[in-house]
Amino acid sequence: MKSGTNSALLYFLCFCLLGCYVGLTLPLLTTSSGQKLGKSAGNAIWLDKKRTSPYELYQYLLKTEDDRVERLLVMFTFMPLDEIADLVKASKNQPGKPILHFRLAESVVRLVYGDKGLTEALEATAALFNPSEDLSELSGDQLEKRFKDAPRVEVSSSLLGNITFVALFVKAGLSKSRSECRRLISGGGAYLNNERVESGNMLINAEHVVAKSVTLLRKGKSKYCVVHWTN
């Protein structure tokens, strides 16, 4: 209900039908630290494929904090409580395996986007999390299909040969600052086309472009950005 008039009408109908007023409250969805999730907090998850793709939703749920995943299974899926309890026990017997996280991600993505959306998310995940793959062997169409759900940024090709890896990494939104990016490089967590970067001062040139217009950046094991070089 968006207005007080609509809410008042709802209460009036409840009173007429049930003979009493009723109220419904829902708990806020928060992080483990208590921060609420939503548009105003800048961390909203949308049920719109154009704003949050199946891949992005799947990855978001896979990264759910361990102390929240059971609660979210109860809140966001139609799994019977006894089945969730059995899954929790199985998870405790196999520490290190994100059994609950996978079930949460698969269940919610299927609920929101259907089996087709879940398949898209799984295929994109498989493609992105194959760091040994030689991207130069893929065609433009293959790259576009595999990385269609990954975050992307467009950069003018006029910057090729004039932009450093650090500058491009920050421009792609994978680091907040150049100093943060340099620390990431020192720790071995920055990649260019699936190859670890040793120097942030390296100039990005045509040799780093695959399929004529793409460069793949990666932060750590799972955060990607596809750079599309435009004319």
Side-chain angles (χ1 to χ4, degrees):
M1 294 295 175
K2 294 185 177 180
S3 69
T5 301
N6 287 335
S7 297
L9 178 60
L10 176 61
Y11 293 142
F12 176 74
L13 290 174
C14 287
F15 181 78
C16 292
L17 294 173
L18 303 176
C20 63
Y21 290 112
V22 296
L24 176 66
T25 62
L26 297 173
L28 283 174
L29 185 60
T30 63
T31 64
S32 57
S33 63
Q35 181 185 17
K36 74 172 184 177
L37 299 180
K39 183 178 179 181
S40 60
N43 54 10
I45 294 296
W46 304 88
L47 303 183
D48 182 340
K49 195 173 184 179
K50 294 181 180 179
R51 306 192 74 169
T52 299
S53 70
Y55 165 77
E56 290 172 321
L57 179 60
Y58 186 83
Q59 289 300 317
Y60 173 81
L61 294 167
L62 280 185
K63 297 173 184 177
T64 300
E65 296 95 332
D66 292 344
D67 58 352
R68 295 176 62 234
V69 64
E70 180 181 355
R71 178 169 177 259
L72 295 190
L73 276 168
V74 174
M75 292 176 64
F76 294 153
T77 75
F78 292 103
M79 290 176 59
L81 295 180
D82 56 350
E83 185 178 341
I84 293 177
D86 290 340
L87 203 62
V88 171
K89 290 180 182 179
S91 178
K92 290 180 179 179
N93 292 331
Q94 300 181 64
K97 292 187 177 182
I99 297 175
L100 297 176
H101 299 73
F102 279 119
R103 179 62 69 85
L104 174 66
E106 290 177 2
S107 298
V108 174
V109 172
R110 180 182 285 113
L111 179 64
V112 176
Y113 295 121
D115 289 333
K116 183 178 179 181
L118 177 59
T119 298
E120 290 178 6
L122 293 175
E123 288 180 348
T125 297
L128 289 172
F129 291 90
N130 184 10
S132 62
E133 184 170 38
D134 185 356
L135 298 181
S136 64
E137 297 180 354
L138 300 179
S139 68
D141 289 341
Q142 288 174 317
L143 280 169
E144 184 64 28
K145 181 178 180 180
R146 291 202 178 192
F147 302 115
K148 65 179 180 179
D149 287 327
R152 61 186 60 204
V153 62
E154 292 188 351
V155 180
S156 173
S157 58
S158 64
L159 292 177
L160 286 170
N162 297 302
I163 187 170
T164 64
F165 174 81
V166 166
L168 182 62
F169 210 73
V170 173
K171 191 176 186 67
L174 292 175
S175 284
K176 295 180 180 179
S177 65
R178 298 191 179 198
S179 58
E180 180 183 278
C181 180
R182 293 187 190 282
R183 289 193 295 271
L184 186 69
I185 293 172
S186 298
Y191 296 82
L192 173 70
N193 293 335
N194 286 338
E195 294 185 5
R196 182 175 293 172
V197 173
E198 303 294 339
S199 172
N201 294 324
M202 173 180 65
L203 287 176
I204 305 301
N205 54 48
E207 294 179 358
H208 302 118
V209 179
V210 295
K212 299 182 179 181
S213 64
V214 173
T215 297
L216 183 65
L217 303 179
R218 174 158 59 97
K219 177 181 181 180
K221 295 181 178 180
S222 61
K223 193 168 185 179
Y224 285 81
C225 184
V226 177
V227 177
H228 279 268
W229 299 99
T230 60
N231 294 324

